[in-house]
Amino acid sequence: MTNDPYAPPRTIDAPPAAMVPSMRHGGIGRLVYLGITVLLTIVQRLFATYGLQLSGSSAGAGWGLFIVFTCIAFIPAYFRLKNAAMNPWTCLLLVVPILNLVILFRCYAYQEGYGEVKRLDKAGRIVAIIFITLFLAFIAFAFFGAAI
């Protein structure tokens, strides 16, 4: 065996193809989805606060604005679920109470290709812990707030 410094490094056996997701799902990643939802929330709040005050419109315009931004919110959720190798049309469940939490959890926690490997990566597990902790805190505050 010669010690050639210009020789390419030896390769390690790759895992079977069934264990590695294809990583060609399209859509948008978790961080981009988070940025888009934060931006949509800020723009919606600005329109709700300043846009309706300037136009002097009624509550009907506020509901119309809410419906428009809700429909716009389906678009990033559709592409995020597509990226996670899930059925992207489940984004329509965002309008159903309680089920919207399941869809949001999928959008924030699942990595690209989750539908193929069915395991969360480290960032997904951290997001899951935060999500579950906040959900349990909300339930506890709602329960104890109603008891007082």
Side-chain angles (χ1 to χ4, degrees):
M1 174 186 252
T2 63
N3 197 1
D4 183 12
Y6 301 106
R10 290 196 284 171
T11 60
I12 300 173
D13 291 335
M19 294 179 64
V20 179
S22 64
M23 301 300 174
R24 287 174 278 176
H25 299 287
I28 58 176
R30 286 184 284 216
L31 193 58
V32 174
Y33 179 76
L34 176 65
I36 290 172
T37 55
V38 168
L39 182 66
L40 278 175
T41 303
I42 291 170
V43 170
Q44 189 268 339
R45 291 308 310 154
L46 288 174
F47 270 110
T49 304
Y50 299 111
L52 295 178
Q53 288 178 356
L54 292 176
S55 66
S57 59
S58 65
W63 279 105
L65 185 65
F66 173 75
I67 291 170
V68 166
F69 276 100
T70 301
C71 292
I72 291 172
F74 287 131
I75 297 168
Y78 176 89
F79 287 108
R80 178 66 196 112
L81 291 168
K82 181 179 178 183
N83 180 264
M86 310 295 288
N87 183 355
W89 289 106
T90 56
C91 70
L92 297 175
L93 295 176
L94 285 173
V95 296
V96 180
I98 306 299
L99 289 180
N100 61 356
L101 296 176
V102 174
I103 300 303
L104 287 176
F105 176 77
R106 288 179 175 187
C107 288
Y108 287 119
Y110 289 2
Q111 73 272 12
E112 180 178 3
Y114 173 83
E116 294 175 359
V117 294
K118 304 286 188 201
R119 287 190 62 137
L120 288 175
D121 60 351
K122 185 176 182 178
R125 289 191 299 269
I126 292 170
V127 169
I129 290 169
I130 293 170
F131 197 87
I132 291 168
T133 303
L134 290 176
F135 181 73
L136 292 176
F138 172 77
I139 296 297
F141 288 131
F143 178 74
F144 292 120
I148 293 178

